[in-house]
Amino acid sequence: MGSEKLFAGIEAGGTKWRVAIGRSPELLADTTIATTDPDSTISACVEFIRNSGIPVEGTGIAAFGPLDLDPNSNTYGFLTTTPKPGWSNTNIKSRIEDSLGVPVVIDIDVGGAALGEWRWGAGRGLDNILYVTVGTGFGGASLREGRTFHELGHPEMGHITVEREKTDTFPGSCPFHRSCLEGMAAGPAISARWGRPGPELSERLEVWDLEARYLAQGMQTYIYTLAPQRIILGGGVMQQPGLLDMVRKRLEERLAGYGPAPSDVDNFIAAPEFGQDAGLIGAIALARRQFEGT
Ligand code: ADP
Ligand code: ZN
């Protein structure tokens, strides 16, 4: 690595924060911190970076939302009205900037993950990709030539309403919309509908068939509005073996050959190359782009 600059990356999540130092997907040091209150979480994170003894030129943060990403706003870089107790109106960006003494760039978690996958992973070499995550929440980030279009407020791709599948009587778990994608197909919706969390339902084919149908509905909407060259589909729920293939199959059926349809669905719907590290590696990519221009 020689004299090449190093950066810190933080994936700030609602249950844990992951912190790493590096300038590429090969991380030099990394750790995980449980998300408690903002003071303790932020200081643990700053301490880790300081104690590493590695000088960093800047820090990238890929954070849970909702975030204020309008650079002209008084609350730029703030977490706004999150239901997570104690975290509403937390100024994540400047608190880390002030205590670490290096500049900080912040983006929404999926925006970071999308950038990392575009730069080094499953989106390499493409101009227009979509990164979607299905985990505790449901979200997506669309990248055109490496840029998101959400600098003035990020989209909420997981809150698009879906059509109820015939056999499904589950009302939906989104407190705002009930039967949006997040309310019907994110991890907590699976647990609420079937009475057990996803990892314990592997043997139940009907669970994953229904899940794949909802995900295919979502992918159809994204394809017809954004015409991506590839969709990278990640998050905890997608770790369910076989699910990605079921989504591909249902998607082909739904598209019925119409529109900017992918000719090769296996290649078109891809798993993230960095798996559960996509957000953390993306945070490093954010810092490099912002503070080094590479
Ligand atoms: P978060 O969204 O909190 O960052 P994850 O992306 O890891 O975290 O998603 C967590 C969700 O994924 C949980 O609801 C969990 O039940 C679900 N999940 C994890 N593994 C599997 C699996 N193998 N099959 C189905 N669901 C899973
Ligand atoms: Zn919703």
Side-chain angles (χ1 to χ4, degrees), residues 156 158-161 173-184:
E156 290 288 355
H159 292 272
I160 290 171
T161 301
S173 58
C174 175
F176 302 98
H177 319 109
R178 285 264 172 229
S179 58
C180 61
L181 277 165
E182 182 166 299
M184 296 305 264

Side-chain angles (χ1 to χ4, degrees), residues 27-84:
L27 305 172
L28 298 188
D30 76 288
T31 193
T32 301
I33 295 159
T35 311
T36 52
D37 59 285
D39 281 346
S40 331
T41 313
I42 291 173
S43 27
C45 166
V46 167
E47 230 163 85
F48 172 79
I49 299 170
R50 279 224 198 92
N51 290 347
S52 75
I54 305 172
V56 296
E57 304 286 325
T59 298
I61 306 179
F64 69 114
L67 291 177
D68 181 344
L69 294 176
D70 176 358
N72 300 316
S73 150
N74 291 334
T75 52
Y76 176 55
F78 278 56
L79 197 60
T80 58
T81 49
T82 170
K84 179 104 190 144

Side-chain angles (χ1 to χ4, degrees), residues 256-271:
Y258 179 81
S263 52
D264 173 5
V265 78
D266 287 350
N267 217 354
F268 180 74
I269 303 277

Side-chain angles (χ1 to χ4, degrees), residues 15 133-137 187-188 190-191 197-199 208 235-237 239-241 276:
T15 45
T133 178
V134 191
T136 307
I190 297 173
S191 310
W208 307 109
V237 171
Q239 291 180 322
Q240 182 61 44
Q276 296 291 82

Side-chain angles (χ1 to χ4, degrees), residues 164-177:
R164 180 176 303 282
E165 295 287 342
K166 277 188 203 76
T167 54
D168 191 16
T169 53
F170 179 61
S173 58
C174 175
F176 302 98
H177 319 109

